[in-house]
Amino acid sequence: MLEVSGLRVSYGGIQAVRGITFHVNEGEMVALIGANGAGKSSTLRALSRLLDPAGGSVRYRGKELLALPPHGLVAEGIALVPEGRGVFPRMTSLENLYMGAYARNDKAAIARDLEHVLGLFPRLKERAQQVAGTLSGGEQQMLAIGRALMSKPRLLLLDEPSMGLAPIMVQKIFEVIRAVASEGMTILLVEQNAKLALEVSQRGYVMESGEITVTDESNKLLADPKVRAAYLGE
Amino acid sequence: MDTLLQQLINGLTLGAVYALVALGYTMVYGIIGLINFAHGEVVMIGTMVAFTVIVSLAGSGMPPLLILGIGLLVAVLACMILGWALERVAYRPLRHAPRLTPLITAIGMSIVLQNVAMIIWGRNYITFPPMINKEIFEVGGASFTNVQVAIVCLAALVMLGLTYLVQRTRIGMAMRATAQNPHVALLMGVDINRVIAMAFIIGSALGALAGCMVGSYYEIAHYQMGFMLGLKAFTAAVLGGIGNMAGAMAGGLLLGIIEALGAGYIGDLTGDFLGSHYQDIFAFVVLIIVLMFRPSGLFGERTGDRA
Ligand SMILES: Nc1ncnc2c1ncn2[C@@H]1O[C@H](COP(=O)(O)OP(=O)(O)OP(=O)(O)O)[C@@H](O)[C@H]1O
Ligand SMILES: [Mg+2]
């Protein structure tokens, strides 16, 4: 579904992503793990066109993504849950969710999807009229995921959904991610919490200083002594 | 007592105009963080265009209100195009430049527009032809005209409409989203360029309307009028908290009232040393006080938004 080849990202002189190649198959959950500053977020930002990559190609369902205008991606079915959530702080939760459906105009289906999202995150239903800036970190993460789902994506890009959250909240969020995946969603999951990411995903890529160094099925990566030593704290 | 009521009425009229102009500053600032110093000149051009249209139709035998309406409409359309063009030509190429660059460009555009206006309309004061038969109403010792009533009602109506647009419509949602987080708005499929253009177009339309109001209130226009009016409306926007639309409305009204009260009482306060023609100083005293003690304005955005 997604084929990335030779993707490069640089900030001024700094090369953050140095020509990486990877792919995500339809219906699959793929983890991209790596230490701080490895270039994971930069990769997602390039895929979602928040920044223009310095080179490479991104093919999605046979189309070259880099040729599209940035605001056109969501209509192609690509949604990013950005690092740090990026909720609209002075809009209510409900308005944030409706913003997720901004590019759609199938009213009836939007209403159905809203019910579905509020079913996945009952907490958001309680907080529907609360301004998003005053939600807790976990609630904001739920909102950011819910908002992405409201665009009815085929490919969901998640950037560190566990960041800064208490273990119980992480568990809740990952339950939903699993549930969404089991409905057939294709997911590219970026995580620093490598153990968690490899447990829920089918395949994984390990990124180090802007390059992909190891790739395998997730359970094999989990068993790999080198990966265990570097990323699972053993 | 009658001075107080009278000055409140005058202040309300003036304040309605300031509020409309302040909205233009605040909408653009809220979305791209630019203080569009050329906005005052857009207002001036609006006044001048309305003036030209009205004068050229004055002998046509059309009913005066219709002429006034056409003048207003043409001015609004002309300013919408001007606002759009300003953004497109002067500011968009500088979107990623350091913040000072577009600011200086804005000052440059303001000078350019003033000079263009001077070439077209000349250096002299232009008398705005009175299209409405002035009626004077008296209430409790204070008097006001039907022009003032029209200004205040029209401004209130337009501000209500704008609030509806921003709070309830799709484009309004997109504008708020862009102001709060442009990158994420882009992810949601918002065409940021379109939203920015809309902010300029709507702000300029409001400015043109305000320009026509000033023209019919003072019955006078001049190619430099945009400077002082713009500066005062900018003060109003800062007073309300720049970037905040409700703040611009409140700041405009408040500034109008402060200024009118100041003008009404400055003679008494200074033993007639300073006359009411010193009313302009109040806006700047307000600006300095706000900048010193509450730079985020009365309704200023609280900082520390999580997200
Ligand atoms: N806007 C920027 N300007 C300059 N350098 C940047 C910018 N954003 C990221 N970088 C640099 O690019 C490299 C990769 O950053 P990136 O955010 O992609 O890492 P990451 O893998 O997501 O890390 P983390 O796990 O901490 O989120 C880092 O060295 C970072 O300092
Ligand atoms: Mg990151």
mmCIF file of all heavy atoms in Angstrom, chain A residues 85-106:
data_model
loop_
_atom_site.group_PDB
_atom_site.id
_atom_site.type_symbol
_atom_site.label_atom_id
_atom_site.label_comp_id
_atom_site.label_asym_id
_atom_site.label_seq_id
_atom_site.Cartn_x
_atom_site.Cartn_y
_atom_site.Cartn_z
ATOM 1 N N ARG A 85 0.460 15.439 19.802
ATOM 2 C CA ARG A 85 -1.010 15.444 19.612
ATOM 3 C C ARG A 85 -1.560 16.531 18.718
ATOM 4 O O ARG A 85 -2.415 16.281 17.906
ATOM 5 C CB ARG A 85 -1.747 15.515 20.963
ATOM 6 C CG ARG A 85 -1.415 14.329 21.820
ATOM 7 C CD ARG A 85 -1.257 14.725 23.267
ATOM 8 N NE ARG A 85 -0.478 13.745 23.988
ATOM 9 C CZ ARG A 85 0.187 14.019 25.094
ATOM 10 N NH1 ARG A 85 0.180 15.241 25.585
ATOM 11 N NH2 ARG A 85 0.864 13.085 25.693
ATOM 12 N N GLY A 86 -1.121 17.779 18.921
ATOM 13 C CA GLY A 86 -1.587 18.843 18.019
ATOM 14 C C GLY A 86 -3.082 19.042 17.982
ATOM 15 O O GLY A 86 -3.653 19.276 16.922
ATOM 16 N N VAL A 87 -3.736 18.982 19.150
ATOM 17 C CA VAL A 87 -5.170 19.305 19.156
ATOM 18 C C VAL A 87 -5.315 20.814 18.950
ATOM 19 O O VAL A 87 -4.388 21.572 19.201
ATOM 20 C CB VAL A 87 -5.864 18.888 20.469
ATOM 21 C CG1 VAL A 87 -5.772 17.384 20.652
ATOM 22 C CG2 VAL A 87 -5.285 19.623 21.660
ATOM 23 N N PHE A 88 -6.491 21.238 18.478
ATOM 24 C CA PHE A 88 -6.760 22.674 18.382
ATOM 25 C C PHE A 88 -7.190 23.132 19.764
ATOM 26 O O PHE A 88 -8.290 22.813 20.210
ATOM 27 C CB PHE A 88 -7.837 22.944 17.340
ATOM 28 C CG PHE A 88 -7.439 22.513 15.957
ATOM 29 C CD1 PHE A 88 -8.075 21.460 15.328
ATOM 30 C CD2 PHE A 88 -6.397 23.150 15.295
ATOM 31 C CE1 PHE A 88 -7.694 21.049 14.058
ATOM 32 C CE2 PHE A 88 -6.012 22.744 14.025
ATOM 33 C CZ PHE A 88 -6.663 21.697 13.405
ATOM 34 N N PRO A 89 -6.339 23.885 20.465
ATOM 35 C CA PRO A 89 -6.544 24.078 21.907
ATOM 36 C C PRO A 89 -7.799 24.863 22.273
ATOM 37 O O PRO A 89 -8.371 24.630 23.324
ATOM 38 C CB PRO A 89 -5.279 24.826 22.355
ATOM 39 C CG PRO A 89 -4.718 25.432 21.118
ATOM 40 C CD PRO A 89 -5.102 24.518 19.989
ATOM 41 N N ARG A 90 -8.228 25.778 21.420
ATOM 42 C CA ARG A 90 -9.387 26.608 21.778
ATOM 43 C C ARG A 90 -10.665 26.159 21.089
ATOM 44 O O ARG A 90 -11.648 26.872 21.071
ATOM 45 C CB ARG A 90 -9.085 28.087 21.485
ATOM 46 C CG ARG A 90 -7.988 28.641 22.416
ATOM 47 C CD ARG A 90 -7.716 30.115 22.174
ATOM 48 N NE ARG A 90 -7.250 30.386 20.835
ATOM 49 C CZ ARG A 90 -6.011 30.139 20.412
ATOM 50 N NH1 ARG A 90 -5.127 29.590 21.207
ATOM 51 N NH2 ARG A 90 -5.668 30.424 19.180
ATOM 52 N N MET A 91 -10.634 24.963 20.540
ATOM 53 C CA MET A 91 -11.871 24.376 20.026
ATOM 54 C C MET A 91 -12.318 23.291 20.995
ATOM 55 O O MET A 91 -11.496 22.701 21.698
ATOM 56 C CB MET A 91 -11.631 23.735 18.659
ATOM 57 C CG MET A 91 -11.426 24.713 17.546
ATOM 58 S SD MET A 91 -11.321 23.784 15.991
ATOM 59 C CE MET A 91 -11.258 25.126 14.847
ATOM 60 N N THR A 92 -13.608 23.026 21.005
ATOM 61 C CA THR A 92 -14.089 21.944 21.867
ATOM 62 C C THR A 92 -13.663 20.603 21.278
ATOM 63 O O THR A 92 -13.238 20.513 20.122
ATOM 64 C CB THR A 92 -15.621 21.961 21.960
ATOM 65 O OG1 THR A 92 -16.152 21.697 20.663
ATOM 66 C CG2 THR A 92 -16.139 23.307 22.452
ATOM 67 N N SER A 93 -13.784 19.566 22.099
ATOM 68 C CA SER A 93 -13.457 18.228 21.621
ATOM 69 C C SER A 93 -14.266 17.900 20.378
ATOM 70 O O SER A 93 -13.738 17.376 19.390
ATOM 71 C CB SER A 93 -13.773 17.182 22.700
ATOM 72 O OG SER A 93 -13.118 17.517 23.888
ATOM 73 N N LEU A 94 -15.541 18.234 20.436
ATOM 74 C CA LEU A 94 -16.421 17.918 19.317
ATOM 75 C C LEU A 94 -15.976 18.637 18.043
ATOM 76 O O LEU A 94 -15.929 18.045 16.970
ATOM 77 C CB LEU A 94 -17.853 18.327 19.693
ATOM 78 C CG LEU A 94 -18.962 17.563 18.997
ATOM 79 C CD1 LEU A 94 -18.841 16.072 19.247
ATOM 80 C CD2 LEU A 94 -20.325 18.063 19.480
ATOM 81 N N GLU A 95 -15.622 19.919 18.203
ATOM 82 C CA GLU A 95 -15.163 20.671 17.030
ATOM 83 C C GLU A 95 -13.872 20.078 16.478
ATOM 84 O O GLU A 95 -13.671 20.015 15.264
ATOM 85 C CB GLU A 95 -14.932 22.143 17.401
ATOM 86 C CG GLU A 95 -16.210 22.936 17.578
ATOM 87 C CD GLU A 95 -15.944 24.374 18.023
ATOM 88 O OE1 GLU A 95 -15.120 24.585 18.940
ATOM 89 O OE2 GLU A 95 -16.557 25.283 17.459
ATOM 90 N N ASN A 96 -12.985 19.638 17.373
ATOM 91 C CA ASN A 96 -11.760 18.974 16.929
ATOM 92 C C ASN A 96 -12.101 17.748 16.096
ATOM 93 O O ASN A 96 -11.500 17.514 15.043
ATOM 94 C CB ASN A 96 -10.909 18.565 18.127
ATOM 95 C CG ASN A 96 -9.885 19.612 18.508
ATOM 96 O OD1 ASN A 96 -8.785 19.641 17.966
ATOM 97 N ND2 ASN A 96 -10.241 20.494 19.431
ATOM 98 N N LEU A 97 -13.068 16.967 16.573
ATOM 99 C CA LEU A 97 -13.437 15.761 15.837
ATOM 100 C C LEU A 97 -14.020 16.125 14.475
ATOM 101 O O LEU A 97 -13.700 15.497 13.461
ATOM 102 C CB LEU A 97 -14.437 14.932 16.645
ATOM 103 C CG LEU A 97 -13.856 14.295 17.918
ATOM 104 C CD1 LEU A 97 -14.941 13.604 18.728
ATOM 105 C CD2 LEU A 97 -12.745 13.298 17.561
ATOM 106 N N TYR A 98 -14.844 17.172 14.447
ATOM 107 C CA TYR A 98 -15.407 17.584 13.159
ATOM 108 C C TYR A 98 -14.324 18.095 12.222
ATOM 109 O O TYR A 98 -14.415 17.923 11.009
ATOM 110 C CB TYR A 98 -16.500 18.641 13.353
ATOM 111 C CG TYR A 98 -17.850 18.030 13.675
ATOM 112 C CD1 TYR A 98 -18.517 18.327 14.853
ATOM 113 C CD2 TYR A 98 -18.441 17.129 12.795
ATOM 114 C CE1 TYR A 98 -19.741 17.750 15.157
ATOM 115 C CE2 TYR A 98 -19.659 16.542 13.089
ATOM 116 C CZ TYR A 98 -20.309 16.855 14.262
ATOM 117 O OH TYR A 98 -21.518 16.282 14.541
ATOM 118 N N MET A 99 -13.294 18.730 12.783
ATOM 119 C CA MET A 99 -12.179 19.162 11.930
ATOM 120 C C MET A 99 -11.537 17.960 11.246
ATOM 121 O O MET A 99 -11.053 18.063 10.125
ATOM 122 C CB MET A 99 -11.120 19.919 12.736
ATOM 123 C CG MET A 99 -11.315 21.420 12.853
ATOM 124 S SD MET A 99 -11.723 22.263 11.325
ATOM 125 C CE MET A 99 -10.193 22.133 10.403
ATOM 126 N N GLY A 100 -11.532 16.826 11.938
ATOM 127 C CA GLY A 100 -10.992 15.610 11.320
ATOM 128 C C GLY A 100 -11.730 15.259 10.036
ATOM 129 O O GLY A 100 -11.143 14.732 9.090
ATOM 130 N N ALA A 101 -13.016 15.569 10.017
ATOM 131 C CA ALA A 101 -13.828 15.234 8.850
ATOM 132 C C ALA A 101 -13.928 16.409 7.884
ATOM 133 O O ALA A 101 -14.785 16.410 6.995
ATOM 134 C CB ALA A 101 -15.220 14.804 9.303
ATOM 135 N N TYR A 102 -13.039 17.377 8.035
ATOM 136 C CA TYR A 102 -13.121 18.612 7.247
ATOM 137 C C TYR A 102 -13.163 18.342 5.745
ATOM 138 O O TYR A 102 -13.896 18.991 5.010
ATOM 139 C CB TYR A 102 -11.927 19.515 7.575
ATOM 140 C CG TYR A 102 -11.909 20.802 6.800
ATOM 141 C CD1 TYR A 102 -12.698 21.873 7.190
ATOM 142 C CD2 TYR A 102 -11.116 20.940 5.658
ATOM 143 C CE1 TYR A 102 -12.696 23.050 6.477
ATOM 144 C CE2 TYR A 102 -11.110 22.118 4.937
ATOM 145 C CZ TYR A 102 -11.893 23.167 5.349
ATOM 146 O OH TYR A 102 -11.894 24.328 4.635
ATOM 147 N N ALA A 103 -12.367 17.382 5.291
ATOM 148 C CA ALA A 103 -12.264 17.165 3.849
ATOM 149 C C ALA A 103 -13.403 16.301 3.303
ATOM 150 O O ALA A 103 -13.446 16.017 2.112
ATOM 151 C CB ALA A 103 -10.913 16.525 3.519
ATOM 152 N N ARG A 104 -14.302 15.859 4.185
ATOM 153 C CA ARG A 104 -15.398 14.993 3.717
ATOM 154 C C ARG A 104 -16.679 15.806 3.585
ATOM 155 O O ARG A 104 -16.848 16.831 4.220
ATOM 156 C CB ARG A 104 -15.641 13.879 4.750
ATOM 157 C CG ARG A 104 -14.427 13.027 5.011
ATOM 158 C CD ARG A 104 -14.655 12.102 6.196
ATOM 159 N NE ARG A 104 -15.782 11.202 5.989
ATOM 160 C CZ ARG A 104 -16.209 10.352 6.929
ATOM 161 N NH1 ARG A 104 -15.598 10.285 8.108
ATOM 162 N NH2 ARG A 104 -17.228 9.569 6.686
ATOM 163 N N ASN A 105 -17.600 15.302 2.778
ATOM 164 C CA ASN A 105 -18.900 15.970 2.787
ATOM 165 C C ASN A 105 -20.079 14.992 2.809
ATOM 166 O O ASN A 105 -21.191 15.364 2.488
ATOM 167 C CB ASN A 105 -19.022 16.960 1.632
ATOM 168 C CG ASN A 105 -18.478 16.380 0.353
ATOM 169 O OD1 ASN A 105 -18.495 15.160 0.194
ATOM 170 N ND2 ASN A 105 -18.001 17.208 -0.547
ATOM 171 N N ASP A 106 -19.804 13.767 3.249
ATOM 172 C CA ASP A 106 -20.880 12.781 3.371
ATOM 173 C C ASP A 106 -21.453 12.839 4.791
ATOM 174 O O ASP A 106 -21.063 12.082 5.665
ATOM 175 C CB ASP A 106 -20.347 11.376 3.070
ATOM 176 C CG ASP A 106 -18.983 11.121 3.715
ATOM 177 O OD1 ASP A 106 -18.334 12.094 4.154
ATOM 178 O OD2 ASP A 106 -18.580 9.956 3.815
#
